[in-house]
Amino acid sequence: MSEEMLHARSHDDLNGEAPGMPRVGVWQLLGHSRGQDAIVEAYAWSIATWCEPEAAPFVPALGLDYSAFLDLLGTLFPHFSPPEDWLEAQRQAVGQGGPLDEFKDLVALLLDHRAVNDEGHRRMAHLVAAGCMGSDHLWQDLGLPRRQALSDLFSRYFPALAAKNAGDMKWKKFLYRLLCERDGYIACSRPSCAGCADYARCFGPEE
């Protein structure tokens, strides 16, 4: 795991030792993975974070159907046996309220721009949408080591979106801006980003 991820959470958070919670931790998942790279770490981080029943928001099974989620766990973390109560909670549907209201729309947007129509790309759409439910920068909410890793992910899995984001807008803002445009809303009244007082909020550094 990257040094950035090692210091991103407390020891208890990573090990999933919060008292009274049916919790699955990052270390538990990575300890049962076939191998580790930034993508596997992102799945481990996101499952431990957004699939936690006590999380706010809670994204059960990353929004996948239950059987697909079990297949994901078996593929990436083949020797991991999650607690039964945690696993049972993953059968729930994604709820409503706050950022969860846009979850399905984000998944649909990402699926429409995936490079290949296969299970790996479908899982990735759900992973990225789950990360969008967080309050930090998207690369942080996915447990990636740096923002460039997120840009590389988009170039690999959603190259059409990577091409559209030619101005290097922050990824969450970019995705939500596309959702607004899809629904016919004007995301920003400014005719040009260059002269906007909020330019740094959209295009500033995320490190």
Side-chain angles (χ1 to χ4, degrees), residues 66-206:
Y66 186 67
S67 61
F69 184 65
L70 291 182
D71 185 63
L72 170 63
L73 290 177
T75 299
L76 295 182
F77 313 106
H79 306 297
F80 179 63
S81 297
E84 287 297 325
D85 48 0
W86 180 91
L87 198 58
E88 186 62 27
Q90 308 310 314
R91 293 181 179 273
Q92 300 178 40
V94 176
Q96 296 291 313
L100 292 172
D101 288 340
E102 284 80 42
F103 181 81
K104 291 182 179 179
D105 292 333
L106 285 165
V107 170
L109 174 68
L110 290 158
L111 289 177
D112 284 348
H113 292 85
R114 57 186 158 174
V116 179
N117 183 9
D118 66 7
E119 187 63 18
H121 285 71
R122 186 167 78 91
R123 291 171 177 170
M124 185 57 64
H126 281 260
L127 178 73
V128 172
C132 287
M133 302 299 98
S135 57
D136 290 325
H137 296 305
L138 182 53
W139 67 271
Q140 294 171 317
D141 285 327
L142 289 174
L144 291 167
R146 57 189 61 83
R147 186 178 190 270
Q148 185 57 48
L150 178 60
S151 296
D152 292 344
L153 183 154
F154 271 92
S155 294
R156 175 180 174 184
Y157 289 92
F158 311 106
L161 290 177
K164 284 185 178 183
N165 193 12
D168 202 26
M169 179 178 281
K170 293 177 182 178
W171 280 106
K172 275 188 188 176
K173 287 185 175 292
F174 175 72
L175 292 174
Y176 279 97
R177 182 175 184 174
L178 290 183
L179 286 185
C180 287
E181 291 174 354
R182 264 191 168 189
D183 293 338
Y185 297 117
I186 299 175
C188 180
S189 60
R190 298 281 183 174
S192 171
C193 289
C196 180
D198 290 329
Y199 183 91
R201 294 184 180 182
C202 293
F203 297 93
E206 297 182 68

Side-chain angles (χ1 to χ4, degrees), residues 6-44:
L6 285 170
H7 295 287
R9 285 187 168 191
S10 69
H11 177 78
D12 285 348
D13 281 343
L14 284 170
N15 283 281
E17 295 176 356
M21 292 185 183
R23 194 170 175 89
V24 168
V26 175
W27 292 131
Q28 294 170 290
L29 289 162
L30 290 179
H32 295 86
S33 64
R34 293 186 184 277
Q36 293 180 26
D37 57 22
I39 297 299
V40 173
E41 289 179 2
Y43 274 108

